[in-house]
Amino acid sequence: MELKALKLTPKRLQICQKLNLNSGEEILRYYPFRYENFQVTPFESWKAGDNVVFSGEVATFPTKYRARRSLTITSFVMFYGEEELRVTIYNRPWMNLQVGQQLSVVGKYDGSHKVTASNCAGKPIEEFAGIHPVYPLKEGITQNDIRKLIQTVFAKEKCEDHFPPRLLSAHGLIAYREALNGIHFPQNTMQLRQALARLKYEEFLNFYLALKLREKDLSGIRAAKDFSSEEVEKFIQQLPFELTADQRTACDEILGDMHKNVTMSRLVQGDVGSGKTVVAVVALYANHLSGYQGALMAPTEILAKQHYESLKELFSGKDITIACLTSSEENQKEIKRALKNGEIDILVGTHSLFSEDVEYEKLGLVIADEQHRFGVEQRRKLKEKGKDCDLLLMSATPIPRTLAASLYGDLHVSTIESMPPGRKGCVTTLIKKNSLKTIEGELKKILAEGRQVYIIASMIEKSENFKAKDAESLYQALVKVFAPFRTGLLHGRMSAEDKEAVMNAFARNEIQVLVSTTVVEVGVNVKNATAMVVYDADRFGLSQLHQLRGRIQRSSYQGHFYLLTDSKEESTLKRLKVLVDTNDGFKVAVEDLKERGPGDLLGTRQAGLPSFVLGNLITDTKMIEAARRDAEELLSSRDPAEKAYVKKIADLSQQLAVE
Ligand code: ADP
Ligand code: MG
């Protein structure tokens, strides 16, 4: 149902807007991210720290006092069976209790007969006990708001089931409405488990359907590429460094693909700093020798410029014309003309490389660097530019090989695991305060030794809604802290020229401290920068932090990575600790996958593929395999209902991709 038809109150509509929920269906698919299980237990079994729920008689008149402007504390004694318990609850100044009244309480047992209540009311205990969903919140919205909203919508929606009945019965899955009921209002763990099974399975199935539907037009027939292997070998030998074994293997696999008479679809994945660029360069060279143009697409203009510079250097002395398509108008006109005439051999740029009016004379190879940053649709469009083009994707978000194969299906995967020799690696430190006071000395020492430092903020400017530090204020403050060293500011809202000027100044060591947002996350290569401080580290994903860390391990100097956070949440600190404990991108990715959907990680979410909200790639492997097989079967099914389902998913992913 559309939001309008649901006739929600203005307050609820506002909640929907904040959570970006645009229909009844979307509201019902706003799933809890965890559950609290409250069961009534006898006092004797309580241990300090337990979540408890009980019902008893109020024994004393409550005392109330105001600790701070925004904190009032109410405290009273209750009888629970034979025991007297002191109950404390925050911010309920209006609560009116009578001695002798029956009260139900949910809270945490603090030990020594003390309970901190999260809720209490004169309602029957049954309303408190049981499994309670916990939803992801935004500021100004409470759990109760969301629970009530979902209750209202669930009563109004029909929740028709379009899922192929054959698959439901084959896997013993429950119907859609039943599953929604189970996930939002579970009566017991059995019901919850069944609901999860059904909804997860559907996510995986839809994911594979959408993936396979898109893959269909990926590989084509072309003549085997005609280049001299000796010539390529000579080129490899005169590179400024010797390839690592994994780089060598990746190159051989790519050259092998090019010698076949079907187009290449290959993913090169390797941790940040493992040296993927040079592999792309070898591919571009072989492609050039075969008489084709090549295109190298980067997710940001900064990175495109950097690639352009490295290509010029690595191809110097060769008769290869390289150009970089930027946002400047003049540059574009000239390049488009030259490209069409075949005067340009290799073109580097952002996704503007596949704008309507960019025409190639004879495009043979398309490379998308940091591919997870691009949408599937963007990649496909670029490929369409050159019919029967080879496609090479590069990703610094390493995922385990088996997962890659099962996710990408027909895409071939080369993995670079070994790092180039001579890297010192990186020491990661977690600082439980959102301030660099305690490491100021260390940072100054690193600067005094001639190295450079990144300071990362999660936001550009101050915001009413978040307490996080912003790049602009940090810049103002740090200019003074680090003087006489020079501090610069870089963020995504600056003009392309300004960004380039700052980046260049940093690359030339005219600026020693760079305060930046995550625009430096991707691929930026300033070898002399060896330390990075991340403010509000809890606001970043693990893989994203690992990417950032990659910026400071590009040389033989020791890297220093500092994570700052004010968070006291145990789970958050544990999450960040993963980075302290390992510098291995694969391990970080696995940890990240455990808590987030791979949709986020692989960039398929923004690309319009259905992503996993509930499903987990690490623990649900059996289900994934079954869903993958079923998806393949469905695609060739003649059953009208099953065909209709496939069409529905195809339309849906198409529609999402266009947005
Ligand atoms: P990424 O995989 O993150 O894209 P890059 O291709 O940018 O990594 O390489 C990181 C750095 O390592 C670059 O400065 C590059 O010149 C250097 N490098 C790459 N391969 C080797 C190698 N085999 N030996 C020494 N240095 C290398
Ligand atoms: Mg790179």
Side-chain angles (χ1 to χ4, degrees):
M1 251 194 251
E2 286 189 25
L3 277 190
K4 257 204 218 117
L6 288 167
K7 297 209 169 57
L8 299 173
T9 61
K11 184 181 170 206
R12 293 207 170 134
L13 277 175
Q14 215 182 1
I15 292 175
C16 293
Q17 207 177 13
K18 269 196 193 164
L19 298 175
N20 193 21
L21 301 171
N22 302 306
S23 69
E25 167 99 341
E26 283 181 26
I27 293 169
L28 294 179
R29 286 195 183 261
Y30 195 73
Y31 300 134
F33 71 102
R34 68 183 174 88
Y35 293 85
E36 275 168 354
N37 197 350
F38 289 117
Q39 302 300 339
V40 182
T41 47
F43 176 81
E44 291 71 45
S45 68
W46 292 5
K47 288 188 295 298
D50 279 359
N51 287 324
V52 296
V53 45
F54 66 96
S55 181
E57 197 174 285
V58 177
T60 62
F61 195 74
T63 57
K64 298 176 189 182
Y65 83 101
R66 181 173 289 251
R68 286 199 302 272
R69 201 160 59 90
S70 57
L71 179 69
T72 60
I73 299 175
T74 305
S75 175
F76 52 94
V77 176
M78 277 183 73
F79 293 123
Y80 176 39
E82 306 280 289
E83 307 297 329
E84 275 184 31
L85 301 174
R86 171 144 303 265
V87 178
T88 305
I89 187 159
Y90 299 115
N91 291 331
R92 295 276 180 102
W94 62 86
M95 205 170 55
N96 229 338
L97 292 177
Q98 309 297 329
V99 173
Q101 115 177 54
Q102 230 12 69
L103 193 70
S104 300
V105 176
V106 185
K108 190 174 239 153
Y109 182 53
D110 301 331
S112 33
H113 287 75
K114 280 194 232 114
V115 173
T116 306
S118 55
N119 200 1
C120 68
K123 294 191 268 192
I125 189 73
E126 289 73 40
E127 291 192 25
F128 280 147
I131 304 173
H132 298 285
V134 181
Y135 295 91
L137 295 179
K138 285 242 169 86
E139 210 149 295
I141 304 175
T142 67
Q143 288 297 338
N144 219 21
D145 290 339
I146 298 184
R147 287 178 200 166
K148 287 270 164 54
L149 171 68
I150 288 176
Q151 229 161 22
T152 310
V153 175
F154 189 61
K156 291 183 183 174
E157 283 279 357
K158 280 215 287 291
C159 312
E160 273 178 73
D161 203 344
H162 301 282
F163 206 71
R166 182 173 61 85
L167 293 181
L168 284 186
S169 61
H171 298 291
L173 298 171
I174 59 176
Y176 183 47
R177 193 174 166 82
E178 214 183 316
L180 286 179
N181 186 40
I183 197 135
H184 291 300
F185 320 109
Q187 299 293 319
N188 50 53
T189 46
M190 176 71 178
Q191 206 184 11
L192 179 59
R193 217 174 300 137
Q194 284 177 334
L196 275 172
R198 148 73 201 234
L199 296 171
K200 274 186 185 182
Y201 192 79
E202 187 177 319
E203 281 183 357
F204 288 130
L205 185 79
N206 292 354
F207 177 82
Y208 279 113
L209 276 177
L211 201 69
K212 300 248 171 237
L213 283 163
R214 274 148 196 263
E215 244 170 40
K216 267 191 180 162
D217 42 36
L218 264 185
S219 68
I221 305 287
R222 60 147 167 70
K225 282 193 171 162
D226 184 17
F227 59 89
S228 143
S229 299
E230 288 89 73
E231 200 64 33
V232 176
E233 195 53 45
K234 249 185 15 214
F235 176 68
I236 292 176
Q237 292 310 326
Q238 55 93 70
L239 285 170
F241 43 72
E242 195 182 336
L243 293 185
T244 62
D246 288 348
Q247 283 173 325
R248 180 78 235 191
T249 310
C251 287
D252 289 344
E253 284 168 340
I254 289 165
L255 299 175
D257 287 348
M258 287 187 172
H259 272 135
K260 291 185 191 141
N261 63 353
V262 288
T263 55
M264 165 170 79
S265 295
R266 183 170 290 278
L267 170 74
V268 175
Q269 60 170 21
D271 209 345
V272 272
S274 62
K276 295 180 293 292
T277 312
V278 69
V279 173
V281 166
V282 170
L284 284 167
Y285 187 58
N287 178 67
H288 169 73
L289 291 179
S290 322
Y292 289 96
Q293 289 171 303
L296 174 57
M297 177 168 82
T300 63
E301 206 156 286
I302 293 180
L303 188 54
K305 286 265 170 59
Q306 206 173 276
H307 277 325
Y308 173 60
E309 296 300 327
S310 353
L311 287 189
K312 275 201 303 199
E313 208 174 299
L314 289 166
F315 285 132
S316 69
K318 298 227 150 21
D319 185 20
I320 300 178
T321 313
I322 308 165
C324 186
L325 189 67
T326 67
S327 48
S328 116
E329 195 123 350
E330 258 151 64
N331 160 292
Q332 292 199 356
K333 246 196 190 147
E334 169 54 19
I335 285 182
K336 282 173 196 163
R337 188 198 58 74
L339 193 67
K340 199 170 163 184
N341 294 340
E343 292 162 30
I344 290 174
D345 300 312
I346 295 173
L347 183 62
V348 188
T350 61
H351 59 279
S352 61
L353 290 187
F354 60 78
S355 309
E356 293 277 309
D357 55 346
V358 178
E359 290 174 61
Y360 295 80
E361 189 211 24
K362 199 182 177 196
L363 183 61
L365 170 65
V366 167
I367 304 180
D369 191 19
E370 309 289 345
Q371 65 94 23
H372 60 288
R373 286 307 201 89
F374 295 103
V376 173
E377 207 55 26
Q378 287 181 318
R379 300 195 294 251
R380 200 172 59 81
K381 269 197 198 146
L382 179 57
K383 217 190 129 159
E384 269 171 7
K385 275 284 168 197
K387 251 181 137 219
D388 303 326
C389 242
D390 285 335
L391 180 65
L392 188 62
L393 308 176
M394 301 203 289
S395 175
T397 301
I399 57 172
R401 189 185 281 269
T402 47
L403 287 183
S406 79
L407 274 175
Y408 289 108
D410 293 342
L411 197 65
H412 299 281
V413 181
S414 301
T415 304
I416 304 181
E417 274 175 72
S418 47
M419 285 283 164
R423 299 279 168 87
K424 275 270 176 15
C426 181
V427 179
T428 299
T429 315
L430 177 60
I431 293 162
K432 293 177 195 165
K433 185 135 186 54
N434 205 29
S435 149
L436 54 66
K437 264 271 160 312
T438 57
I439 50 168
E440 202 182 302
E442 257 173 85
L443 292 170
K444 284 182 176 161
K445 188 163 159 260
I446 290 168
L447 288 165
E449 281 163 5
R451 307 285 84 76
Q452 288 161 277
V453 175
Y454 292 101
I455 309 279
I456 307 295
S458 59
M459 296 195 307
I460 297 176
E461 53 188 39
K462 253 205 178 66
S463 147
E464 295 275 295
N465 298 323
F466 297 101
K467 288 192 204 83
K469 284 268 201 286
D470 62 285
E472 281 175 351
S473 322
L474 275 175
Y475 169 70
Q476 301 291 344
L478 294 178
V479 163
K480 292 176 212 125
V481 171
F482 289 116
F485 295 106
R486 298 187 49 186
T487 300
L489 175 65
L490 181 74
H491 62 68
R493 226 179 284 151
M494 287 162 46
S495 73
E497 292 100 77
D498 288 353
K499 268 192 276 192
E500 199 187 337
V502 173
M503 209 51 231
N504 283 341
F506 190 62
R508 286 196 297 261
N509 200 359
E510 291 160 10
I511 291 173
Q512 288 76 43
V513 179
L514 185 63
V515 179
S516 170
T517 55
T518 51
V519 288
V520 297
E521 176 191 342
V522 161
V524 170
N525 192 13
V526 177
K527 284 189 178 168
N528 193 48
T530 60
M532 181 181 281
V533 179
V534 183
Y535 276 87
D536 299 287
D538 48 284
R539 291 171 56 94
F540 298 89
L542 282 186
S543 289
Q544 198 181 11
L545 288 170
H546 184 70
Q547 288 273 321
L548 284 167
R549 181 162 64 175
R551 300 305 118 229
I552 49 166
Q553 319 182 43
R554 322 213 113 225
S555 66
S556 55
Y557 297 112
Q558 173 75 56
H560 295 274
F561 190 56
Y562 303 95
L563 299 166
L564 312 185
T565 178
D566 268 339
S567 173
K568 302 274 178 291
E569 287 263 337
E570 218 168 288
S571 57
T572 304
L573 296 175
K574 200 172 140 204
R575 193 167 68 90
L576 293 174
K577 187 89 182 343
V578 170
L579 293 168
V580 177
D581 293 343
T582 181
N583 198 17
D584 178 338
F586 281 79
K587 287 194 187 136
V588 174
V590 167
E591 286 303 315
D592 216 13
L593 275 165
K594 276 188 192 159
E595 63 180 59
R596 301 196 299 150
D600 291 333
L601 208 59
L602 305 173
T604 46
R605 178 164 288 177
Q606 83 248 32
L609 283 172
S611 49
F612 312 86
V613 181
L614 302 166
N616 183 311
L617 263 188
I618 302 296
T619 51
D620 299 328
T621 43
K622 265 201 190 129
M623 202 181 241
I624 291 172
E625 257 321 294
R628 189 154 82 101
R629 277 196 308 271
D630 289 342
E632 235 149 82
E633 236 178 80
L634 275 186
L635 283 173
S636 52
S637 165
R638 283 158 194 277
D639 177 283
E642 294 184 1
K643 274 165 103 166
Y645 188 77
V646 172
K647 174 142 194 331
K648 188 183 141 196
I649 299 300
D651 291 349
L652 198 69
S653 66
Q654 205 62 45
Q655 194 186 319
L656 285 167
V658 172
E659 277 169 7

